[in-house]
Amino acid sequence: MSSSEIVVVPHTHWDREWYEPFQRFRLRLVALLDEVLDRMEADPGYHFTLDGQMACVDDYLEVRPENQGRIEALVLQGRLAIGPWQILLDEFLCSGETIVRNLEIGMDRADKLGGHMPVGYLPDMFGHTAQMPQILRLAGLEHACVYRGVPSSVVTSAFSWVAPDGTPIRTQYLPEGGYGNGAHLFEVPGELDRRAAEFVERMARWGSGPFLAMYGADHSAPVAGLPAMVAALGARMDTLSGFVGGTADGLPVVAGELRSHARANILPGVISVRAHVKQAMGRAERMVERYAEPLAALWGADWPGRFLDMAWWRLVDASGHDSVTGCGVDETAQQVAARIAEAEHLGQAVRDMVTARLAAAVPAGAVLVVNPTPAVRQSVVFFEVAGLDPLPVPSQTLEYAPTLLLDEEMEPSVALSFIHGTELYGQHITGWSVEDGVLAFTVARDSDVAFNVAELRGHLEGVTRVRIEAEPRRTVAALVELPPLGHVALAPAPSSSGQAPAAPVRRDDTTLTNGLLTVELADDGTLTLTGQDGVAITGAGRIVDGGDVGDTYNHAPPVHDFLVDRPAEVEVEPVCSGPVVAAFDVRRIYHWPRFGGHRTGDPDPRSWADAPPEQGPEGTEETVVTTRVELRAGEPFVRLTVTFDNRSVDHRVRLHVPLPERATGSLAEGQFAVVERPLTSEGGCGETPLPTFPASGWVAAGGAAVLLEHVTEYEVTDDNELALTLLRSAGYLSRNRNGLRPEPAGPQLATPAAQSRGVRQVSLALMPYGPQVARAAEVFRHDLLAVPGSGPRELDLPEPGTGLEVSGAVMTSLRRREGWLELRMLAHEAGEAVVSGALTAARRADLRGRPGEDLPVAEGTLRLPVRAWEIVTVQLLR
C-alpha cells in the first residue's frame, strides 16, 4: 500500500475551558491561531480544520477583530474549515433543543464568514445520543464524524448511523487514536516513510484507502513545514470536509445511541459529578425553552429576540463537553455556573415581562394563572391571596401570613423614617389613625388609596406607640383547569362555593392517598406506592451512602467499601392534610463516614484502598436527610424533595427504588428520544463499563418510574433496584490511577469544590410505570405560573386566554421567527400530530428555520402525518 493513499487533515482540538479556566485557554488560542493564519497565508498548500466549533473563531476575533477578513478569505478558498457547531457539546447533559440551537448558532455564524463545514464533527464527546443522525440531517448535514462510544460491532472506518425514526447518516469513525491518529506521523522528519507505512498498515484493518490521518492534538498547532513533509510523503493535505464523501448506502448499520466502552473511554462519571450544575442547567433550559420563549411568542408584545439570543448563547456555551460535565478545575465550574445562572435570569426576565403584561388586565387582588404546556390541564398551583373569602375552584389554605407587623413604644419621627412614598414594611399604606397615643397604620400588598405624609405630621402630638397591621393574606393550593398554553384569572369572593376536588387528597397518619395512588410510610422511612391496578412498589426511597475514590470522570468504589443504608433514627412530621395537597416530612439521621474513601489527602488510592474503614464518632458525620413526601390532587405520582447537608468527602449518595418486577432493561427519556438500554454496558478498551446511564425527563425499569427535573445518573442494580445518584463527591479532576480506568483522563489536579459540600436538595417523583408516564413527566417538570393581578380593582376578570394545543406529539419549543410562530414537536409514535389554535397558514421548516412546503390548514387546525420519533418543525400564522 502506498502513502499516497493518506489524506492528512491538520487540525487542533480545542477544549475551550478545562484544566484551566476559559480566559487562560483563550490566551493560548490567540497565539495558536495567529501562527496558523500566518502559515496558511505563506503556503497556499496549507489546509486546516478548526475543530468543528465556531467558539474558537469567535473567541479569537473578540481579541483580533482586525483578522476577520483573513479568516473569511481562507474559508472561501476551502482551505480553512469552520463550524458547523458553535461549541463541541456534551450531548447527554443538555436538552435536545440546546443541541439544535448549538447547530443553528454555529452554522449561521460560520456562513457569515464564508460557509460552515458540512460535517457533523463530534470528535471527543463522551458518547452520542440516539437522535443525532436525524438532527444533523434535518440541519442539512449529510455526514457525521465520531470517536468515542462506537460499539465493537463496527469494524470499518465508515458506517451508517441510524436514528430511532429511521434516518441514516454516513458516519466517519476515527479508529487507531481518534482525532489524533496521525499526530505522530511527522514528529521525526527522517522517519516519514516508516511511520507512514505503519500508519497505512494499521488503518488497512478498517478498510481500503484513502486513509484519514487526523494530524492534531489538544491545544496545539501543526509543526512548521508540514505541507512540504506531506508532499515529500506523497500524501494529500485537506480539510475534514474535503476527505469525507459518499453516502450511507451499503455501509454496516449501527442504530441508536453510541455509549459503548469497547473502543474508547466514555467517562460516564461526568453525569453525576457536580450535580448542582446539572440541576442549574435543567432549570435554565426549562425557563428559556418552555416558559420565556413560548409565552413571549403567544402573549408578548414586541419579540424580545435579543434577550432570548443572549440566553441561548449562554446555555450553548455552558453545554461544552468540558463545561457542564464538571470535569474541569473549580474555576472552570464557577464560570460555567455563572453562565447558566445568567441564562436563567434572562429567561426569567422575559417570562416576567410577558406575565406582567397579562397581569395588567387582571384586577389587583386577583391572580393570573398560566399554563406552560400545550394541552388542557388541571393541576395544583400555589399562590398568595388577600382576605378570607373562598376561591371559585377547589383550594386549601396552607399558611396564614402575620397581620401584626409592628406594635412597639416608638417616637413617631422614627416611624415616619420607615415610610417611602406609600411603602411601609414592604407593603403599601391603605390608612392611618391616631388614638390614645397610638399611631396605627394599615397596609396591604396593593393599594390605590392616596397617602400624604405631610397630612399625618400634624396629628402626632402625644404619640408614644406605633402599630402596623396588614390585611389578612394566606398561601393557598388551588386545583385549576387551564386552556393549552393559556391563562385564567381567579379572585376570591364571598359568593364562591369553596368546592372540594372530585377526588380529594387525604393524609391519615403516615398514609397519603388521592384515588390514583396510595403512599404508605414504613418505620425505616421508606415508602410503599400502590397504584390503581394494585401493583405495589415497596421500600422506595432508601438512601445508600458509599465511598468513591474515583475522580470527576469515573466513579470508583474503595476495595473495602463501607455502605450505610439504614438510618439511626427516623422522625415524621405532618405538613398538610388535603384536600388539594397532603404531605409529611421524613427526617432520617445517618452516620456517614467523614471520608468516604476512608482517608483523604493522598491522590493515589492504591496506597490505602485495602485499609479498613475508620469507625466511631471521629470517623463519621451525623447527617440528617429530610424527605418531603407530597401528593397532589389528580397526580398519579408522589413528589419527593430530598435535602441534606453534605459534610463528607469522596463518597456517593443514591436513592434506591426496589422494582416490583424483574427488570430486563431500562427506558430513559433523553434528547428527542426514549432509549431502551440493557442491564450491562459493553466494555473493551480498559475502562470498567459500569452500567450507569443518564436520563433527562424520566427513567423506568421493572414496573417503576422516576420523574426527573434534570439529567440524572441511574443504574439498575444486581439486586433489582433502580438507584439514582443524588450526589457524587470527587476531590480530583483525574487521578493518575483510577481503579476503574487504566489511564488518566486529564491532569491530576485537586478539585475541592467538586466534593459538593453544603446543603444539597434534589426533587423527583415516583410512580408505577404505565403509558401515562410521559404526560406525568411533562406536568412534573413544568409547574403552573401564578402572578398577582396589577390592574385597577374595578376591572372585571378577563376571559381565559387559549394559546396552541398540540396532540399526537410533544412540543419541544415554540418561538417567533420573522412574523411566524415556529413550533418544534417530537412524535413518540407513528400517527397524526394535531396543532389547534385559530391557525390561518402553516409550512414545514428545517432545524435552521428555513421554510419548506406549505401545509394545509382546515378550521384553524393543522393535521400532519408523522413517523415514530420524527422531529417536526412547522411555522404557523394565526
Side-chain angles (χ1 to χ4, degrees):
M1 296 183 185
S2 169
S3 59
S4 62
E5 296 180 278
I6 299 176
V7 178
V8 178
V9 174
H11 75 99
T12 187
H13 176 58
W14 198 264
D15 299 297
R16 193 170 186 244
E17 54 202 357
W18 179 21
Y19 56 80
E20 289 185 347
F22 163 57
Q23 297 295 357
R24 291 177 64 86
F25 267 138
R26 171 150 64 176
L27 193 69
R28 296 163 58 181
L29 172 70
V30 170
L32 181 145
L33 288 184
D34 281 345
E35 180 183 347
V36 168
L37 293 180
D38 289 345
R39 288 181 180 176
M40 294 187 76
E41 290 172 341
D43 189 335
Y46 208 119
H47 292 69
F48 196 77
T49 297
L50 197 46
D51 207 27
Q53 56 177 332
M54 282 301 298
C56 297
V57 179
D58 291 335
D59 294 343
Y60 176 75
L61 289 179
E62 190 175 8
V63 179
R64 297 272 196 269
E66 68 277 8
N67 285 344
Q68 179 171 325
R70 300 172 67 191
I71 289 175
E72 289 178 359
L74 293 167
V75 172
L76 289 170
Q77 292 168 23
R79 295 167 54 206
L80 179 63
I82 60 174
W85 297 101
Q86 178 60 27
I87 201 164
L88 292 182
L89 70 161
D90 185 285
E91 299 170 34
F92 292 95
L93 287 173
C94 63
S95 70
E97 192 60 30
T98 299
I99 296 175
V100 171
R101 302 304 175 97
N102 190 338
L103 264 183
E104 178 185 297
I105 294 170
M107 295 173 84
D108 288 350
R109 285 284 303 122
D111 288 352
K112 289 181 173 64
L113 295 177
H116 63 271
M117 179 172 65
V119 180
Y121 186 48
L122 303 163
D124 198 31
M125 289 69 173
F126 308 150
H128 305 282
T129 56
Q131 287 280 35
M132 186 57 73
Q134 186 181 180
I135 292 171
L136 296 176
R137 289 289 296 274
L138 289 175
L141 300 173
E142 301 293 329
H143 303 277
C145 183
V146 301
Y147 166 43
R148 302 184 192 273
V150 173
S152 62
S153 60
V154 172
V155 293
T156 58
S157 60
F159 61 93
S160 176
W161 184 13
V162 181
D165 76 315
T167 297
I169 192 168
R170 185 194 182 279
T171 303
Q172 185 71 40
Y173 174 43
L174 300 175
E176 304 294 332
Y179 57 81
N181 70 341
H184 303 297
L185 273 174
F186 305 99
E187 283 183 339
V188 183
E191 296 184 359
L192 291 180
D193 290 340
R194 180 180 65 81
R195 294 195 177 206
E198 291 174 348
F199 177 80
V200 169
E201 183 180 358
R202 289 198 311 273
M203 295 299 292
R205 303 170 193 159
W206 300 89
S208 59
F211 303 113
L212 174 60
M214 296 294 290
Y215 179 72
D218 294 355
H219 315 119
S220 63
V223 297
L226 180 63
M229 286 189 284
V230 173
L233 195 61
R236 175 168 66 92
M237 180 186 290
D238 211 331
T239 63
L240 182 62
S241 53
F243 172 85
V244 173
T247 69
D249 296 342
L251 293 175
V253 174
V254 177
E257 70 178 5
L258 306 180
R259 284 195 65 85
S260 170
H261 305 254
R263 305 294 189 193
N265 295 341
I266 63 168
L267 310 169
V270 300
I271 300 297
S272 53
V273 77
R274 303 188 199 265
H276 56 285
V277 175
K278 281 70 171 177
Q279 287 177 299
M281 188 72 172
R283 284 196 312 269
E285 286 178 321
R286 287 197 306 278
M287 181 58 64
V288 176
E289 67 190 46
R290 292 302 304 272
Y291 288 91
E293 275 195 340
L295 295 182
L298 292 170
W299 304 109
D302 294 335
W303 176 243
R306 186 58 185 150
F307 286 97
L308 293 167
D309 288 347
M310 289 190 293
W312 278 114
W313 272 82
R314 284 158 175 78
L315 287 173
V316 168
D317 280 352
S319 70
H321 68 290
D322 290 302
S323 300
V324 70
T325 47
C327 55
V329 291
D330 291 345
E331 293 88 347
T332 292
Q334 290 165 3
Q335 285 186 306
V336 173
R339 266 186 232 127
I340 294 171
E342 284 192 15
E344 184 177 13
H345 298 161
L346 285 160
Q348 288 171 338
V350 171
R351 176 204 64 185
D352 293 347
M353 177 179 67
V354 176
T355 55
R357 179 173 181 265
L358 294 173
V362 177
V367 177
L368 175 79
V369 184
V370 182
N371 177 11
T373 52
V376 175
R377 177 171 167 184
Q378 187 179 52
S379 289
V380 176
V381 62
F382 301 87
F383 54 85
E384 278 194 355
V385 66
L388 302 176
D389 291 330
L391 287 160
V393 295
S395 64
Q396 169 188 345
T397 297
L398 301 175
E399 185 179 14
Y400 290 96
T403 55
L404 183 61
L405 306 184
L406 179 72
D407 187 7
E408 293 183 11
E409 297 288 337
M410 183 179 295
E411 289 291 331
S413 59
V414 175
L416 295 188
S417 70
F418 299 159
I419 300 173
H420 305 280
T422 64
E423 185 270 327
L424 176 62
Y425 270 38
Q427 301 193 44
H428 295 277
I429 297 172
T430 58
W432 61 271
S433 65
V434 176
E435 186 174 347
D436 297 331
V438 177
L439 170 60
F441 293 97
T442 56
V443 296
R445 294 290 175 88
D446 304 290
S447 174
D448 51 11
V449 176
F451 171 72
N452 186 343
V453 72
E455 180 182 350
L456 172 62
R457 292 183 189 279
H459 298 77
L460 298 180
E461 185 175 351
V463 168
T464 60
R465 192 173 189 87
V466 176
R467 183 180 178 88
I468 303 174
E469 288 189 75
E471 68 175 343
R473 295 191 69 83
R474 66 197 193 275
T475 300
V476 301
L479 184 62
V480 184
E481 184 169 303
L482 293 103
L485 287 169
H487 53 83
V488 299
L490 302 173
S495 58
S496 296
S497 63
Q499 57 192 290
V505 186
R506 295 187 176 89
R507 180 181 61 80
D508 180 13
D509 293 329
T510 55
T511 299
L512 309 176
T513 185
N514 66 356
L516 300 174
L517 187 70
T518 298
V519 182
E520 300 171 85
L521 179 68
D523 291 342
D524 63 355
T526 62
L527 306 171
T528 295
L529 281 62
T530 306
Q532 288 180 300
D533 59 1
V535 174
I537 303 170
T538 303
R542 186 165 57 94
I543 302 295
V544 180
D545 176 71
D548 190 336
V549 293
D551 48 38
T552 64
Y553 289 102
N554 294 79
H555 162 73
V559 173
H560 299 290
D561 202 357
F562 183 58
L563 296 179
V564 179
D565 62 355
R566 294 182 180 275
E569 298 178 38
V570 179
E571 299 174 355
V572 182
E573 181 179 349
V575 176
C576 54
S577 301
V580 175
V581 60
F584 50 74
D585 285 340
V586 182
R587 185 173 179 270
R588 288 176 280 184
I589 299 176
Y590 295 88
H591 296 285
W592 289 347
R594 185 168 296 137
F595 309 117
H598 313 314
R599 296 184 188 177
T600 190
D602 184 348
D604 187 353
R606 293 176 303 154
S607 62
W608 47 265
D610 291 323
E614 292 183 66
Q615 302 293 331
E618 68 280 357
T620 63
E621 288 284 355
E622 182 177 283
T623 305
V624 179
V625 179
T626 301
T627 304
R628 170 69 56 89
V629 182
E630 178 183 317
L631 191 62
R632 299 181 184 178
E635 293 186 346
F637 52 86
V638 61
R639 297 169 181 260
L640 306 182
T641 301
V642 183
T643 307
F644 57 91
D645 183 358
N646 178 43
R647 302 173 186 174
S648 301
V649 299
D650 295 335
H651 69 130
R652 181 177 68 174
V653 182
R654 301 204 291 185
L655 181 143
H656 284 238
V657 181
L659 303 178
E661 306 164 8
R662 171 55 62 178
T664 58
S666 64
L667 295 171
E669 190 273 340
Q671 293 69 21
F672 297 122
V674 173
V675 179
E676 186 172 0
R677 296 182 175 125
L679 298 179
T680 58
S681 186
E682 183 184 39
C685 75
E687 179 183 55
T688 300
L690 293 180
T692 54
F693 300 102
S696 294
W698 56 269
V699 58
V706 182
L707 314 182
L708 305 167
E709 284 195 333
H710 60 277
V711 179
T712 301
E713 175 188 88
Y714 76 90
E715 176 184 359
V716 179
T717 65
D718 292 340
D719 51 1
N720 202 44
E721 294 189 343
L722 185 59
L724 297 108
T725 304
L726 305 181
L727 172 86
R728 192 170 76 82
S729 298
Y732 287 89
L733 186 152
S734 172
R735 291 186 189 268
N736 290 337
R737 293 300 302 273
N738 182 308
L740 301 187
R741 188 193 64 237
E743 75 279 350
Q748 184 167 282
L749 298 173
T751 55
Q755 298 284 10
S756 297
R757 293 187 190 231
V759 176
R760 299 298 169 195
Q761 186 173 86
V762 179
S763 296
L764 47 84
L766 307 180
M767 64 183 294
Y769 176 70
Q772 74 274 35
V773 66
R775 171 64 178 161
E778 177 87 347
V779 169
F780 174 69
R781 287 167 65 88
H782 302 104
D783 287 335
L784 302 180
L785 294 174
V787 184
S790 59
R793 289 183 179 270
E794 63 270 16
L795 283 178
D796 292 330
L797 290 180
E799 292 295 316
T802 300
L804 290 181
E805 184 171 11
V806 178
S807 61
V810 175
M811 183 184 86
T812 63
S813 75
L814 177 65
R815 58 174 162 172
R816 285 190 211 169
R817 189 192 285 270
E818 298 178 355
W820 293 69
L821 291 175
E822 185 174 277
L823 169 69
R824 189 149 27 252
M825 303 175 287
L826 173 68
H828 281 197
E829 57 187 24
E832 185 178 64
V834 181
V835 184
S836 305
L839 304 180
T840 59
R843 65 191 185 192
R844 284 189 180 269
D846 68 6
L847 285 193
R848 300 183 64 189
R850 296 175 297 191
E853 64 172 316
D854 290 336
L855 298 170
V857 171
E859 299 180 346
T861 298
L862 169 66
R863 297 181 179 275
L864 187 65
V866 291
R867 304 185 308 275
W869 303 112
E870 181 181 3
I871 302 168
V872 182
T873 305
V874 294
Q875 294 175 342
L876 312 167
L877 289 179
R878 299 176 79 198

